[in-house]
């Protein structure tokens, strides 16, 4: 049983904003809607009026994200305690900004960094901004499961052997499909060789809080790790956290860079939701995610047992391949329906009122979060059963392939980006 810290019952930033909102302070500060007074009435009729009183700006009472000394500082400290790291930074431009910050914080221009080619677009932004040489690692693919994997331990070891000058290693784990790589082994290896480990854990803010789930990057000992608190926990969109836990990176440099990249007008509702999401998952993550896991596993077995043209891979199948699986994610392979994942995603939206987060040629990905329940999964499974009966196309012979990385890198992405010769679109 985890020992609960009494401090974790508090939500210092939310409490401050609530107290401020209740006082109906006369506003001569931004934003211009003045505690919601000039918010569009159609919007206000739908949402209610109180929420806009949280939309304030930086002043002493509510603290500053850039140099916190009050409730934001306390809220970030509680986040760090919950994740058991040295420091947590609240982010208001999602994990995208956190990824850019990690590159700029860990590397100098001209450094080399090992990165999987299958990374989020913000990674390329980080590479361009920081001026590093990316050492691309080709992700493993599995043509039976039609799946692109994360970087493996042996791939990292080979890359480190071949490019011992690399300063850092950048890993994305979990992938969009919830596949988690052998992070502890990778971190141990990198640290033994004095290399920094950066992890894009956009889809894994919940992993630390439920024993059934795979190991998270913070537990594995990553130097920096960024999580989209808004993706699987209950923070508002754009709410993410960057966790610092390193002897290899200068903390003050991280702090400066995070500040350089973020707006000076953060949305305080998003910030307060980070504070509350942390409290909720710390206190109730175990039971909340037990519920989500139960629903997801129920859905997985219904699809595998009852829907002939669709298949969800299981944790056991993924473990046999040397990875682990976040079982809250449902990846449904639809190749036998004769339709692509994109087509079924569109059918689900138009005919069944179900919106997915992601689909590709082969798969649908249903992302479950702390607010998901069994009824959602029942609706999803029923819709898939109906699609299975209605559509009997011929199975396509598509094969998952990715472009080769054989090209020699002779110029850094930053120089290409800044070159006058780039084509104007
Ligand atoms: C692996 C990965 N990293 C980073 C991001 C960006 O996260 P955010 O939307 O919080 O900026 C995403 C978004 O989908 C993602 O899938």
């Amino acid at each position: 049983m985890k020992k609960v810290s009494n401090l974790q019952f508090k939500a210092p930033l939310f409490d401050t904003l609530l107290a401020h909102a209740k006082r109906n302070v006369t506003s001569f500060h931004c934003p211009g809607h003045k505690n919601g007074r000039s918010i569009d009435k159609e919007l206000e009729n739908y949402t209610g009026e109180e929420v806009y009183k949280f939309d304030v700006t930086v002043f002493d009472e509510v603290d500053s994200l850039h140099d916190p000394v009050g409730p934001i500082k306390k809220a970030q400290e509680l986040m760090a305690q919950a994740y058991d790291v040295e420091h947590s930074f609240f982010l208001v431009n999602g994990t995208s900004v956190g990824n850019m910050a990690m590159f700029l914080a860990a590397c100098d221009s001209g450094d080399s960094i090992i990165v999987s080619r299958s990374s989020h677009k913000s990674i390329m932004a980080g590479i361009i901004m920081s001026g590093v040489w990316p050492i691309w690692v080709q992700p493993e693919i599995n043509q039976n499961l039609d799946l692109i994997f994360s970087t493996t331990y042996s791939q990292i070891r080979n890359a480190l052997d071949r490019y011992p000058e690399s300063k850092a290693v950048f890993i994305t784990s979990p992938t969009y499909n919830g596949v988690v790589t052998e992070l502890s082994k990778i971190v141990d290896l990198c640290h033994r060789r004095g290399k920094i480990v950066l992890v894009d854990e956009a889809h894994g803010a919940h992993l630390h809080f439920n024993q059934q789930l795979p190991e998270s990057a913070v537990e594995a000992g990553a130097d920096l790790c960024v999580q989209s608190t808004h993706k699987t926990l209950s923070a508002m969109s754009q709410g993410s956290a960057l966790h610092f836990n390193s002897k290899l990176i200068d903390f003050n440099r991280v702090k400066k860079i995070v500040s350089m990249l973020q707006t000076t007008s953060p949305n305080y509702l998003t910030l307060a939701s980070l504070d509350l999401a942390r409290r909720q998952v710390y206190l109730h993550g175990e039971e909340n995610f037990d519920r989500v896991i139960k629903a997801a596993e129920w859905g997985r077995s219904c699809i595998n047992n009852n829907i002939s043209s669709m298949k969800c891979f299981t944790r056991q199948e993924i473990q046999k391949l040397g990875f682990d699986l976040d079982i809250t994610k449902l990846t449904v392979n639809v190749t036998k329906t004769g339709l692509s994942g994109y087509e079924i995603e569109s059918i689900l939206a138009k005919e069944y009122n179900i919106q997915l987060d992601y689909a590709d040629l082969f798969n649908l990905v249903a992302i479950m979060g702390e607010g998901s329940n069994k009824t959602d999964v029942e609706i999803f499974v029923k819709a898939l059963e109906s699609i299975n009966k209605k559509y009997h196309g011929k199975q396509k012979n598509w094969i998952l392939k990715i472009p080769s990385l054989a090209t020699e890198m002779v110029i850094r992405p930053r120089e290409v980006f800044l070159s006058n010769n780039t084509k104007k679109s």
Side-chain angles (χ1 to χ4, degrees):
M1 254 301 261
K2 172 178 86 176
K3 195 163 164 269
V4 175
S5 162
N6 284 337
L7 291 172
Q8 291 290 333
F9 286 89
K10 298 187 184 221
L13 182 55
F14 171 74
D15 288 346
T16 302
L17 286 165
L18 186 62
H20 179 84
K22 284 182 176 168
R23 292 207 320 277
N24 274 326
V25 174
T26 302
S27 161
F28 281 99
H29 61 71
C30 302
H33 60 66
K34 303 294 162 191
N35 297 323
R37 204 184 287 147
S38 69
I39 286 287
D40 182 272
K41 288 299 156 213
E42 205 178 335
L43 177 63
E44 187 189 285
N45 285 343
Y46 189 70
T47 61
E49 59 187 14
E50 299 303 328
V51 68
Y52 302 106
K53 294 181 184 162
F54 275 67
D55 188 19
V56 294
T57 191
V58 183
F59 44 79
D60 283 353
E61 183 187 3
V62 297
D63 207 4
S64 159
L65 181 61
H66 292 265
D67 203 4
V69 290
I72 294 181
K73 179 171 188 279
K74 285 187 195 146
Q76 290 188 150
E77 284 168 0
L78 288 173
M79 174 81 90
Q81 186 193 52
Y83 281 95
D84 203 11
V85 293
E86 280 178 58
H87 188 84
S88 298
F89 295 92
F90 284 180
L91 304 176
V92 288
N93 192 14
T95 291
S96 302
V97 82
N99 280 337
M100 295 172 209
M102 289 201 289
F103 276 92
L104 285 160
C107 297
D108 293 317
S109 180
D111 283 342
S112 302
I113 177 164
I114 296 167
V115 195
S116 168
R117 192 61 192 85
S118 154
S119 296
H120 186 256
K121 64 189 279 194
S122 54
I123 273 74
M124 190 50 95
I127 287 171
I128 289 170
M129 288 161 94
S130 62
V132 293
W133 287 96
I135 296 170
W136 296 118
V137 176
Q138 182 83 327
E140 284 196 2
I141 60 170
N142 184 306
Q143 290 174 335
N144 293 324
L145 298 178
D146 299 316
L147 205 60
I148 298 178
F149 282 110
S150 194
T151 332
T152 63
Y153 169 79
S154 57
Q155 284 180 313
I156 297 294
R157 196 191 48 212
N158 291 342
L160 285 172
D161 288 345
R162 197 154 166 218
Y163 301 97
E165 72 277 17
S166 332
K167 174 119 179 247
V169 169
F170 189 101
I171 307 277
T172 300
S173 178
T175 62
Y176 229 107
N177 307 87
V179 176
V180 174
T181 193
E182 310 154 292
L183 272 179
S184 284
K185 269 176 79 179
I186 292 174
V187 172
D188 286 350
L189 172 75
C190 290
H191 284 173
R192 265 188 274 122
R193 297 193 188 188
K195 311 297 181 195
I196 294 167
V197 183
L198 312 174
V199 182
D200 174 349
E201 200 174 47
H203 294 276
H206 57 306
L207 299 181
H208 185 57
F209 298 99
N210 186 286
Q211 290 183 23
Q212 296 187 67
L213 295 174
E215 180 187 52
S216 70
V218 287
E219 289 152 10
D223 293 275
L224 285 174
C225 134
V226 59
Q227 302 169 332
S228 296
T229 322
H230 67 94
K231 285 197 197 296
T232 51
L233 303 183
S234 51
M236 295 284 154
S237 284
Q238 303 187 352
S240 280
L242 175 65
H243 301 298
F244 173 91
N245 215 12
S246 183
K247 295 191 175 36
L248 301 172
I249 304 175
D250 175 8
F251 174 74
N252 286 322
R253 177 169 168 154
V254 184
K255 191 172 166 202
K256 233 178 240 161
I257 285 162
V258 170
S259 176
M260 269 166 55
L261 295 178
Q262 298 222 80
T263 172
T264 49
S265 305
N267 185 304
Y268 277 77
L269 190 59
T270 301
L271 292 174
S273 76
L274 282 167
D275 196 20
L276 294 171
R278 180 272 312 158
R279 178 169 76 178
Q280 178 167 295
V281 76
Y282 182 90
L283 297 175
H284 306 294
E286 200 67 51
E287 80 224 41
N288 286 350
F289 280 96
D290 278 351
R291 186 195 68 238
V292 177
I293 289 166
K294 209 167 156 197
E297 290 289 60
W298 176 84
R300 203 178 332 268
S301 82
C302 284
I303 292 165
N304 284 340
N305 294 329
N306 307 336
I307 307 185
S308 54
S309 62
M310 299 184 198
K311 181 179 169 359
C312 290
F313 52 74
T314 63
R315 188 174 201 169
Q316 289 75 15
E317 280 173 276
I318 295 296
Q319 283 173 336
K320 273 189 200 147
L321 298 169
F323 297 92
D324 201 353
L325 181 67
D326 168 8
I327 41 179
T328 67
K329 298 265 182 320
L330 283 176
T331 299
V332 187
N333 189 294
V334 294
T335 47
K336 284 192 183 156
T337 60
L339 298 173
S340 70
Y342 302 120
E343 287 168 307
I344 298 193
E345 180 189 32
S346 166
I347 293 169
L348 283 167
K350 291 188 185 134
E351 295 179 27
Y352 297 91
N353 206 21
I354 295 171
Q355 186 58 57
L356 298 181
D357 203 82
Y358 177 83
D360 59 31
L361 259 188
F362 312 92
N363 299 298
L364 310 170
V365 183
I367 293 198
M368 317 240 324
E370 204 167 1
S372 297
N373 61 27
K374 189 165 173 209
T375 309
D376 296 340
V377 185
E378 283 168 354
I379 292 169
F380 181 52
V381 170
K382 225 167 160 188
L384 295 181
E385 282 170 350
S386 157
I387 291 169
N388 177 49
K389 281 195 196 119
K390 245 174 151 171
Y391 295 90
H392 296 285
K394 197 164 164 271
Q395 180 168 358
K396 299 277 191 300
N397 289 323
W398 293 320
I399 296 175
L400 173 62
K401 281 190 184 152
I402 49 177
S404 144
L405 281 178
T407 5
E408 189 189 351
M409 182 156 303
V410 291
I411 183 167
R412 287 178 300 162
R414 176 182 178 80
E415 283 149 356
V416 176
F417 183 79
L418 297 177
S419 150
N420 287 331
N421 300 328
T422 42
K423 270 196 201 157
K424 306 255 181 313
S425 54

